[in-house]
């Protein structure tokens, strides 16, 4: 068992780094969520294909266009993850992150120039390629600054930016859209990345980063030499993470892109009226992200191994997702009350974020820092692919077969955990012991 050297007092700056990661993740999700938030407004945009003569559940052209725009983003995001993960490992966290946010900020603002569905396709592809750099860089940063037992909490904290964005974005997007039109909503969120980029470039990341030996994981002996791209991706550990992402990320995409539409079509809520329901879901998501991420660390400090701590925490989150299968019945039992369905969404979203915090943390348990971004990129690409597949299923079946969609969303986490356990029965052990 390898001993761990605690970070020095100067490494309390790791929480400053965590805050910067939180801000970047908030901006990342704000930029990607604008399209879904303005969905009701797009009914009046002629090129999107809304048919005023048909009812809201039979909008074949609009739903196909909307779904395809989402899929284009997801595919580009997946391709971008394969590229960006390796780029961040090669260039380093600071340079890789700076390039990523510059690209996605410009891409977000480019949505304001769109005049066709194809224009949305192009803008979303550019946005997906840029946004793909966020999580590989952020997870690499946590592996460089945080010890093993704090890594889940740190990941949960910065990942809660995804939820915090949902508190800010609806107000910002609704206000800007009402005053200036939907195009300026993209400008408002995209320009925020410029401010973050200035802060990131001013922060002396490499100079202040703790030495690598202070971050050696307790109880884990990992090789520190650089590995080839294919040699990393052909390991069972890489596939365990990738399949965990591929099977579950689509559910989060579903919440992110279709929750505003769900509230609009099932309960007649316009963008402003949806705010407190969306806030509730994402406030609970933030709690789930932080608590779920901290849970594995709490278990480790109480004597659980890294393997047991991570997997028990993930199992707990997977069980909490299951009640989402009752959402279609909540709609029929409480036809005029969105709160029961909202509560089920909130629980499931919180559990997903807790799951995600631990899933991301497993990369630092299984791989050296020099390979973390590559693995996160590979897993993220599989997650984007899974999201695109799930979106394709959703856009054809959500209105007609909601029980199918929500049953899939509620059970896939348990399946993912079983597969991960079969591939890596003893997470946190030296690489040569399990490969």
């Amino acid at each position: 068992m390898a001993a761990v050297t605690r970070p020095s007092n100067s490494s309390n700056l790791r929480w400053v780094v965590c805050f910067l990661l939180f801000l970047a993740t908030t901006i990342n999700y704000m930029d990607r969520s604008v399209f879904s938030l303005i969905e009701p407004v797009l009914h009046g945009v002629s090129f999107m294909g809304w048919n005023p003569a048909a009812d809201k559940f039979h909008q074949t052209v609009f739903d196909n266009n909307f779904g395809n725009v989402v899929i284009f983003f997801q595919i580009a995001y997946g391709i971008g993850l394969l590229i960006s993960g390796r780029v961040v490992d090669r260039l380093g966290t600071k340079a890789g992150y700076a390039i990523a946010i510059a690209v996605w900020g410009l891409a977000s603002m480019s949505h304001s120039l769109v005049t066709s569905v194809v224009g949305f396709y192009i803008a979303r592809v550019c946005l997906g390629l840029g946004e793909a750099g966020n999580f590989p860089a952020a997870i690499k940063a946590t592996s460089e600054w945080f010890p093993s037992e704090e890594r889940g909490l740190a990941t949960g904290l910065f990942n809660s930016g995804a939820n915090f964005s949902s508190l800010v974005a609806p107000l910002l997007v609704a206000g800007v859209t009402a005053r200036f039109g939907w195009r300026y909503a993209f400008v408002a969120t995209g320009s925020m990345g410029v401010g973050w980029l200035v802060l990131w470039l001013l922060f002396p990341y490499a100079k202040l980063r703790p030495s690598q030996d202070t971050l050696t994981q307790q109880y884990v002996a990992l090789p520190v030499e650089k590995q080839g791209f294919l040699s990393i991706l052909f390991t069972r550990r890489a596939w365990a993470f990738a399949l965990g992402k591929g099977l579950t990320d689509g559910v989060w995409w579903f919440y992110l892109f279709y929750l505003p539409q769900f509230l609009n079509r099932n309960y007649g809520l316009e963008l402003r009226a949806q705010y407190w329901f969306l806030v509730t879901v994402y406030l609970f998501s933030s709690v789930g992200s932080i608590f779920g991420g901290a849970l594995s660390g709490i278990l480790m400090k109480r004597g659980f191994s890294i393997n047991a701590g991570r997997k028990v925490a993930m199992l707990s989150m997977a069980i909490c997702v299951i009640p989402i299968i009752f959402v279609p019945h909540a709609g029929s039992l409480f036809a005029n009350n969105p709160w029961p369905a909202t509560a089920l969404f909130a629980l499931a979203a919180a559990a997903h974020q807790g799951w995600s915090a631990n899933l991301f943390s497993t990369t630092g348990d299984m791989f050296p820092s020099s390979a973390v971004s590559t693995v996160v990129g590979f897993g993220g690409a599989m997650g984007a692919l899974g999201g695109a597949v799930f979106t394709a299923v959703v856009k054809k079946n959500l209105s007609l077969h909601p029980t199918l969609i929500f049953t899939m969303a509620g059970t896939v986490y348990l399946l993912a955990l079983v597969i991960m356990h079969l591939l890596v029965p003893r997470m946190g052990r030296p690489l040569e012991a399990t490969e």
Side-chain angles (χ1 to χ4, degrees):
M1 300 263 179
V4 63
T5 304
R6 296 291 178 186
S8 63
N9 290 336
S10 64
S11 70
N12 286 328
L13 283 168
R14 66 191 185 278
W15 298 111
V16 175
V17 173
C18 187
F19 180 66
L20 288 172
L21 304 182
F22 167 83
L23 291 179
T25 303
T26 300
I27 296 168
N28 184 279
Y29 271 83
M30 287 182 68
D31 284 333
R32 77 175 65 178
S33 66
V34 176
F35 184 71
S36 63
L37 289 171
I38 65 169
E39 190 268 348
V41 180
L42 293 177
H43 298 176
V45 177
S46 59
F47 65 77
M48 286 298 291
W50 184 268
N51 181 8
D55 68 71
K56 59 188 177 182
F57 293 107
H58 295 84
Q59 293 290 339
T60 305
V61 175
F62 179 90
D63 289 348
N64 188 63
N65 286 336
F66 184 87
N68 285 341
V69 172
V70 173
I71 290 172
F72 266 83
F73 172 82
Q74 292 169 325
I75 292 174
Y77 187 71
I79 295 171
L81 281 163
L82 285 174
I83 300 169
S84 63
R86 200 58 177 166
V87 168
V88 171
D89 274 335
R90 292 292 185 183
L91 298 182
T93 308
K94 185 170 184 177
Y97 223 150
I99 292 170
I101 199 164
V103 171
W104 95 58
L106 292 173
S108 179
M109 289 187 281
S110 75
H111 286 67
S112 64
L113 305 176
V114 165
T115 58
S116 67
V117 176
V118 173
F120 269 135
Y121 292 166
I122 296 171
R124 297 306 278 185
V125 166
C126 294
L127 182 68
L129 292 173
E131 289 208 337
N134 183 70
F135 280 100
I139 298 300
K140 185 177 181 70
T142 59
S143 74
E144 291 174 339
W145 284 79
F146 289 87
S148 180
E149 64 271 23
E150 289 182 353
R151 199 166 294 145
L153 174 60
T155 302
L157 285 169
F158 88 70
N159 195 37
S160 68
N163 312 309
F164 182 73
S165 73
S166 299
L167 308 182
V168 179
L171 285 178
L172 176 64
V173 171
V176 172
T177 300
R179 186 173 179 83
F180 301 105
W182 62 267
R183 296 180 184 277
Y184 286 90
F186 289 102
V187 176
T189 61
S191 60
M192 290 182 180
V194 177
W196 185 92
L197 181 59
V198 172
L199 291 175
W200 184 249
L201 292 176
L202 290 175
F203 183 75
Y205 186 96
K207 181 179 179 180
L208 298 177
R209 174 188 163 190
S211 60
Q212 185 63 38
D213 59 0
T214 66
L215 298 176
T216 303
Q217 299 167 23
Q218 193 172 17
Y219 309 132
V220 183
L222 293 175
V224 296
E225 71 274 12
K226 292 184 178 180
Q227 297 174 280
F229 183 71
L230 293 180
S231 67
I232 294 171
L233 301 190
F234 284 164
T235 63
R236 286 183 288 127
R237 292 180 172 209
W239 277 99
F241 175 73
L243 291 175
K245 291 285 288 179
L247 288 169
T248 60
D249 271 16
V251 180
W252 181 250
W253 291 108
F254 171 51
Y255 300 152
L256 183 65
F257 288 111
Y258 280 92
L259 184 54
Q261 182 185 110
F262 176 87
L263 292 171
N264 177 254
R265 297 196 186 183
N266 287 273
Y267 298 100
L269 300 178
E270 298 300 328
L271 182 56
R272 286 185 178 275
Q274 293 176 10
Y275 179 71
W276 286 110
F277 300 99
L278 295 176
V279 164
T280 299
V281 171
Y282 291 109
L283 273 177
F284 274 85
S285 296
S286 294
V287 173
S289 180
I290 297 169
F291 173 76
L295 179 59
S296 58
I298 293 171
L299 294 173
M300 290 177 202
K301 290 178 180 178
R302 296 194 174 187
F304 282 66
S305 65
I306 291 175
N307 181 66
R310 294 278 187 242
K311 289 179 180 176
V312 169
M314 292 172 75
L315 176 61
S316 301
M317 299 301 105
I319 291 172
C320 288
V321 172
I322 294 175
I324 195 68
I325 65 177
F326 297 112
V327 163
H329 305 290
S332 60
L333 291 174
F334 306 96
N336 299 314
N337 184 0
W339 283 111
T342 300
L344 293 173
F345 272 112
L347 176 62
H352 171 88
Q353 290 295 74
W355 162 278
S356 184
N358 282 285
L359 181 59
F360 274 128
S361 297
T362 64
T363 59
D365 301 331
M366 299 188 292
F367 291 93
S369 176
S370 60
V372 165
S373 286
T374 298
V375 175
V376 171
F378 174 52
M382 291 292 288
L385 175 61
V389 172
F390 195 65
T391 299
V393 175
V394 168
K395 73 173 186 175
K396 292 184 178 180
N397 294 282
L398 180 60
S399 294
L400 300 177
H401 307 289
T403 300
L404 170 66
I405 300 301
F406 285 99
T407 298
M408 292 173 63
T411 57
V412 72
Y413 294 83
L414 290 174
L415 174 62
L417 183 58
V418 169
I419 292 174
M420 291 182 67
H421 180 69
L422 291 174
L423 288 172
V424 187
R426 291 291 183 271
M427 190 178 297
R429 294 178 63 187
L431 186 64
E432 62 272 11
T434 57
E435 293 294 353

